[in-house]
Amino acid sequence: MPDVTITVDDDHLGALDEVVASVRAAGVHVTSVHAAIGIISGTVADDARGPLSAIRGVASIEQAPRFGVAPPDSSIQ
């Protein structure tokens, strides 16, 4: 499951606990909540990301980039 960062809109910062409960119910495994800046960090299955944007209070959802290294025996090194 990819890591995601969910930004809570300014109008819902006072109801952050409700937004956290809603994203959990939608399938997000919440790993941390940064209440002072309105950020929820967690992991979620790719097929569950779409419905998150419909949750009241969710301003944006960003997936963390994935990096990889080619195997040592590959031609690109």
Side-chain angles (χ1 to χ4, degrees), residues 27-43:
V28 176
H29 172 72
V30 175
T31 55
S32 61
V33 177
H34 310 279
I37 57 174
I39 299 290
I40 303 167
S41 300
T43 59

Side-chain angles (χ1 to χ4, degrees), residues 24-65:
R24 277 190 174 127
V28 176
H29 172 72
V30 175
T31 55
S32 61
V33 177
H34 310 279
I37 57 174
I39 299 290
I40 303 167
S41 300
T43 59
V44 66
D46 288 327
D47 60 345
R49 282 186 51 205
L52 293 177
S53 60
I55 294 174
R56 290 185 55 156
V58 172
S60 68
I61 305 153
E62 297 178 40
Q63 182 174 332

